[in-house]
Amino acid sequence: MGDYREVQAGSKPFKRAYIAVMLWFVGRAIQAAARVDKAVREEFEKLPEGFTFSLGVQPHGPYMIVGKNQKGRVKYLGWKPESKVVDLRMAIKNIEAALLLFTFQESTAISICRDRIDFDGDLPPALTVIRAIGIVEVYLLPKLISKLAIKRYPVWSFGRKYLGRIRIYFHSILGY
Amino acid sequence: MYKPESYEFFCPIKFSSGSRALENIPFELEALSARKPLIITDKNVTRRGLVRKMITAFKDSGVTIGIFDGIPDVPDMQLVTELSNIYRNGEHDAIIALGCGSIVDVAKVVNIAVSYNVKILRDLAGDNLMAHPLGPFVLVPTLTGTGYETSKFTFIEDLTFSSYFLMPDLVVIDSRTVRSESLQTTVATAMVALAHAAEAYTGPGKNPITDAYAYAAIQYVKDNLITVLTKPRNKEGRLALVNAAGMAGCAFSNMKPGLIHILGEAISAMFHIASGICMGILLPYGLEYTIQKNGYHTYDLLLPLSGFDEYAGTAENLKAEKAVNIMYEMQQDLYKVTGKKIPRTLEEANVPKYMVNDIAEKVFKDGAREFGIDDYRMVLEHAWEGKPMAHS
């Protein structure tokens, strides 16, 4: 028995905190973008009313939950998946994979291709959500960084890009 | 493309490979309904800091890990009993083998013991005597493989267990754990993979799925072995070699052992030389025998070894010979790159010439009757002298 020991795996509080803040902000930004941007609104219109999805880190979070209510409005529903009926779960397999994604070292598409994200739900809504998150990233991030996070940087008008960005940041910070 | 009349292929292994693959283990364990794994390894692995890396990978998972790092080079059944008790008393529900060779052998046998009963362990030794699947088993290999890690085989004392249930559920190949220990262990790991893959690719049990595994394994070894030996810090190269070992093990589990494997294992056991080194010596001679004996698809081997251009530019009747020549060149390269530490012939490996006949007889008497005793003797004699068969 001298060669045997038990170890309680520790935690990574700073990495968790960073991801939690990012998910919180992206969740609110999705809500804002669905109001401000036509393309994001159209993406969410394809989803059924009451549809809810979560994006989080396995096994203990953090998470963000976003859903479409009965009126068709997209709402950030918080960071606690418990007691919520979630139609699509997108689980990043571990905190290191989440860091690669949220420090934009790896684009969402590459992260999915490298099996870093586990999907539990239907594929068409999952792709809709991924496309919407891609548009949100263009709004939130400077071109230099968002080019790393998405497949192809879009050509947008000045008004759509910069006024949209201001409005989305404004709504995200105020939370409506 | 070769279309066999009929074939079967089985591989239940999920591979997870990359620079941060270790961090996937908690997620994958949860998918296997396991919450408290027992890591089995040895002091050398602990000394090299790999256990610490493993613990770090579990951070944030909330999992409690048991670690046993006392596996000796030659383990016995008493150790299996001890580990079975640790597993049960510690209420573990999965085994992670961190390392290669005897570590994996013990981990597999402990998995049988805790899934069945340690008292009937000896009754389960043999071919396909296990009736139901075993507990979750994860393999995290280092660059010190024997070729059996991902296979359906395991060995302890005088017992050999063979069952598809012994193949790992998950193989995690992480660039942080696949560090080279020495030139010899790197070459041995790569050459056993190359030999198994080449025999799967050219043997009579060849089928489209073994081909896929074997092709990638051959190409990975050919493209990366010399690079890793000259630049041991090359992460991608090391990762490729361990991937090759994993894939070759899967192909090997779905074929009958070939002549190179049989002779290589026999010489390894008799003269205590790493089986990979022995198979590396025998490889070109064994392939030449294959061409002479039945010509099974040896010409196809040129494709993964040389690439499309050279394959397409070589006449059909010269392809097999060219593939074998590449193997001879590889032997010479290994000899040069390692400063003459890797033998090219059985003579250089200090196998006495008078023992060649004894090896052939022993192999034949031990039941490897797929080939004649004269066939064994012929390959051994050429491999001892370093004399290609085509020129004899």
Side-chain angles (χ1 to χ4, degrees):
Chain A
M1 291 289 279
D3 296 314
Y4 175 74
R5 66 188 191 279
E6 280 193 6
V7 176
Q8 178 68 48
S11 61
K12 296 175 177 173
F14 297 110
K15 289 178 179 176
R16 273 176 69 89
Y18 172 77
I19 300 297
V21 170
M22 291 298 283
L23 284 171
W24 173 78
F25 199 80
V26 169
R28 288 162 73 104
I30 291 172
Q31 176 182 308
R35 292 182 63 168
V36 169
D37 186 87
K38 194 179 162 210
V40 176
R41 196 163 49 242
E42 282 173 359
E43 288 290 358
F44 277 106
E45 275 170 9
K46 294 175 196 165
L47 300 175
E49 279 168 14
F51 180 87
T52 307
F53 71 89
S54 70
L55 173 64
V57 185
Q58 285 290 92
H60 303 302
Y63 302 95
M64 71 164 188
I65 298 102
V66 175
K68 194 174 154 184
N69 65 19
Q70 298 304 321
K71 291 176 186 167
R73 296 277 294 273
V74 176
K75 301 285 281 181
Y76 171 66
L77 301 174
W79 51 275
K80 288 181 180 169
E82 300 88 9
S83 77
K84 288 190 179 71
V85 178
V86 176
D87 301 288
L88 169 68
R89 282 174 211 280
M90 296 184 288
I92 305 170
K93 289 184 178 176
N94 56 67
I95 201 87
E96 296 299 328
L99 265 183
L100 285 176
L101 191 64
F102 285 104
T103 53
F104 315 105
Q105 294 176 65
E106 226 173 54
S107 72
T108 313
I110 291 294
S111 194
I112 293 166
C113 290
R114 291 180 178 168
D115 292 321
R116 299 198 200 277
I117 305 177
D118 191 58
F119 288 85
D120 185 1
D122 289 341
L123 186 61
L127 296 175
T128 298
V129 169
I130 296 295
R131 280 195 299 274
I133 291 175
I135 299 170
V136 170
E137 282 174 325
V138 175
Y139 276 119
L140 294 182
L141 303 167
K143 187 175 179 181
L144 200 70
I145 298 174
S146 65
K147 274 170 82 175
L148 302 172
I150 58 172
K151 270 185 176 174
R152 183 174 51 82
Y153 197 82
V155 180
W156 285 355
S157 66
F158 180 87
R160 183 182 179 191
K161 186 171 169 183
Y162 292 104
L163 294 179
R165 179 173 291 171
I166 291 165
R167 289 178 69 195
I168 285 171
Y169 264 102
F170 181 74
H171 284 296
S172 302
I173 291 162
L174 296 180
Y176 73 95
Chain B
M1 193 181 174
Y2 175 63
K3 298 183 205 70
E5 164 71 23
S6 71
Y7 72 91
E8 286 182 0
F9 184 91
F10 181 77
C11 181
I13 300 175
K14 177 173 185 175
F15 282 84
S16 177
S17 172
S19 58
R20 288 174 176 85
L22 283 184
E23 276 76 7
N24 287 340
I25 297 176
F27 176 87
E28 299 295 348
L29 281 177
E30 200 166 286
L32 293 164
S33 305
R35 292 290 304 155
K36 195 178 178 191
L38 171 63
I39 297 175
I40 296 177
T41 189
D42 65 14
K43 292 276 184 258
N44 189 29
V45 170
T46 304
R47 252 194 315 274
R48 289 164 64 202
L50 304 189
V51 171
R52 195 163 34 80
K53 286 189 168 62
M54 192 72 144
I55 295 169
T56 307
F58 271 88
K59 274 188 178 176
D60 241 34
S61 67
V63 169
T64 302
I65 321 157
I67 300 163
F68 180 89
D69 62 357
I71 302 295
D73 288 340
V74 186
D76 55 24
M77 287 298 258
Q78 196 186 330
L79 180 68
V80 172
T81 309
E82 187 189 338
L83 271 165
S84 304
N85 291 335
I86 287 172
Y87 184 96
R88 288 209 175 92
N89 297 337
E91 297 179 340
H92 293 288
D93 51 15
I95 293 174
I96 300 175
L98 176 58
C100 284
S102 58
I103 293 168
V104 182
D105 284 334
V106 171
K108 285 182 179 180
V109 181
V110 170
N111 204 14
I112 305 170
V114 296
S115 303
Y116 283 87
N117 186 331
V118 75
K119 286 174 189 162
I120 64 156
L121 206 51
R122 284 182 182 274
D123 298 334
L124 294 171
D127 209 10
N128 293 325
L129 295 175
M130 287 163 231
H132 62 77
L134 310 178
F137 176 49
V138 178
L139 166 65
V140 183
T142 50
L143 193 44
T144 53
T146 56
Y148 291 107
E149 285 78 10
T150 55
S151 78
K152 62 175 182 174
F153 302 99
T154 190
F155 312 90
I156 196 151
E157 292 182 346
D158 57 339
L159 303 175
T160 299
F161 298 85
S162 166
S163 166
Y164 285 117
F165 297 135
L166 287 170
M167 294 173 84
D169 297 293
L170 173 70
V171 175
V172 179
I173 305 171
D174 190 298
S175 51
R176 290 165 292 179
T177 63
V178 294
R179 287 194 199 150
S180 303
E181 236 178 49
S182 67
L183 292 176
Q184 282 89 342
T185 52
T186 302
V187 173
T189 304
M191 292 314 278
V192 79
L194 184 60
H196 283 164
E199 291 206 305
Y201 203 70
T202 57
K206 179 183 170 74
N207 68 57
I209 309 181
T210 53
D211 274 4
Y213 281 80
Y215 185 99
I218 294 164
Q219 207 171 37
Y220 271 18
V221 173
K222 176 68 176 53
D223 292 351
N224 294 284
L225 179 54
I226 300 294
T227 312
V228 168
L229 293 173
T230 49
K231 294 175 189 160
R233 297 178 84 85
N234 184 309
K235 276 186 192 175
E236 289 79 17
R238 294 189 328 239
L239 212 55
L241 289 184
V242 180
N243 267 284
M247 290 184 284
C250 296
F252 179 65
S253 293
N254 285 276
M255 63 181 240
K256 275 186 177 294
L259 182 129
I260 299 165
H261 170 86
I262 293 167
L263 287 177
E265 286 296 340
I267 298 167
S268 170
M270 288 169 79
F271 300 96
H272 307 292
I273 306 165
S275 57
I277 301 293
C278 302
M279 289 184 208
I281 295 170
L282 294 162
L283 192 49
Y285 307 97
L287 288 173
E288 279 189 313
Y289 165 84
T290 309
I291 300 169
Q292 288 191 359
K293 189 79 178 172
N294 50 24
Y296 273 127
H297 314 292
T298 314
Y299 67 87
D300 250 359
L301 200 56
L302 184 63
L303 186 57
L305 283 173
S306 71
F308 294 108
D309 289 344
E310 199 168 336
Y311 181 81
T314 306
E316 204 84 330
N317 60 332
L318 297 176
K319 281 185 170 126
E321 194 185 321
K322 201 161 193 173
V324 173
N325 284 341
I326 289 173
M327 295 292 192
Y328 280 121
E329 283 164 18
M330 206 169 161
Q331 275 189 341
Q332 295 296 342
D333 291 345
L334 289 175
Y335 185 73
K336 275 184 212 154
V337 165
T338 58
K340 303 181 182 178
K341 284 180 186 153
I342 301 298
R344 295 164 297 182
T345 63
L346 293 179
E347 185 185 14
E348 287 176 357
N350 295 325
V351 174
K353 181 144 196 202
Y354 66 88
M355 291 295 285
V356 163
N357 198 39
D358 292 2
I359 299 166
E361 277 178 10
K362 186 179 183 320
V363 166
F364 194 71
K365 276 182 194 158
D366 285 350
R369 304 272 167 110
E370 291 90 339
F371 307 94
I373 191 166
D374 291 336
D375 299 324
Y376 290 131
R377 199 178 289 124
M378 179 174 70
V379 171
L380 286 167
E381 279 169 359
H382 282 272
W384 193 89
E385 288 176 31
K387 190 173 150 197
M389 285 186 203
H391 305 147
S392 61

